[in-house]
Amino acid sequence: METTEINIANSVGNSGGNRATDIATVQFLINTARARMNQPLITLDCSIGNETIGAISDFQQKSFGSADGRVDVNGRSFRRLREIYVEPKHINPTKTYQTGKNNKYRVTVGADGRIFVQPNDWLSKYSAAIYGNYYEIFAFGRLTNGEMRFITNRN
């Protein structure tokens, strides 16, 4: 995948436009960078808050020595996040979540947050395994044409 396939329409973070799909894209890219630096991942919730702004600032500080807590369209932070995303690295499954009787609900997630999908899986199964309930299905998205999109067909 080329870096030009991943884009945001508005800035994300401090004083940014903070569109939900742009936030999701930046959170996804931040998690990819954090996974490669062996840092804990942030929540992919498509909302801007202290956790996301802190992760942006942390990334900027480590990458450039200064931080403003905002990722601008085609700014150096966004360009670097895209570069990290396309750097070749094989992502192995790193964690398996399971819950329910006889661990009926089970899902494996990679270090960068990618879910290893199995045939006939459904989002409520992922929600049950990862979050312990069936109601967090809004948290799942798919990278389509370089933009993070919510999955509208929930099951």
Side-chain angles (χ1 to χ4, degrees):
M1 176 181 289
E2 293 187 30
T3 59
T4 55
E5 293 178 17
I6 301 171
N7 291 301
I8 56 175
N10 294 294
S11 297
V12 172
N14 285 329
S15 302
N18 296 323
R19 227 176 45 139
T21 54
D22 294 333
I23 295 167
T25 299
V26 169
Q27 287 174 333
F28 174 77
L29 292 172
I30 286 283
N31 272 349
T32 300
R34 290 176 74 85
R36 294 196 180 185
M37 294 186 279
N38 294 318
Q39 292 181 299
L41 304 183
I42 64 170
T43 304
L44 298 174
D45 60 4
C46 303
S47 65
I48 202 69
N50 292 335
E51 182 183 34
T52 300
I53 292 173
I56 292 169
S57 296
D58 182 60
F59 171 78
Q60 291 172 326
Q61 191 67 40
K62 286 182 169 123
S63 297
F64 311 114
S66 64
D68 63 6
R70 187 179 67 235
V71 176
D72 292 316
V73 178
N74 292 322
R76 71 179 182 166
S77 295
F78 190 67
R79 288 192 311 269
R80 181 64 189 131
L81 285 167
R82 289 191 310 185
E83 288 170 4
I84 291 169
Y85 176 73
V86 298
E87 287 173 359
K89 182 172 181 173
H90 181 68
I91 302 296
N92 290 321
T94 58
K95 182 164 185 171
T96 298
Y97 296 88
Q98 46 195 10
T99 190
K101 187 175 181 180
N102 298 323
N103 293 319
K104 178 180 179 180
Y105 304 110
R106 180 183 191 130
V107 63
T108 302
V109 179
D112 63 352
R114 295 179 197 180
I115 293 175
F116 289 76
V117 178
Q118 300 299 317
N120 301 315
D121 277 355
W122 64 99
L123 292 182
S124 54
K125 171 188 170 183
Y126 299 155
S127 182
I130 295 170
Y131 299 108
N133 66 56
Y134 299 101
Y135 310 110
E136 306 269 347
I137 58 175
F138 62 86
F140 299 98
R142 179 176 285 119
L143 195 61
T144 304
N145 296 325
E147 191 170 305
M148 186 64 72
R149 299 195 185 271
F150 295 109
I151 298 176
T152 54
N153 182 357
R154 304 288 189 220
N155 290 317

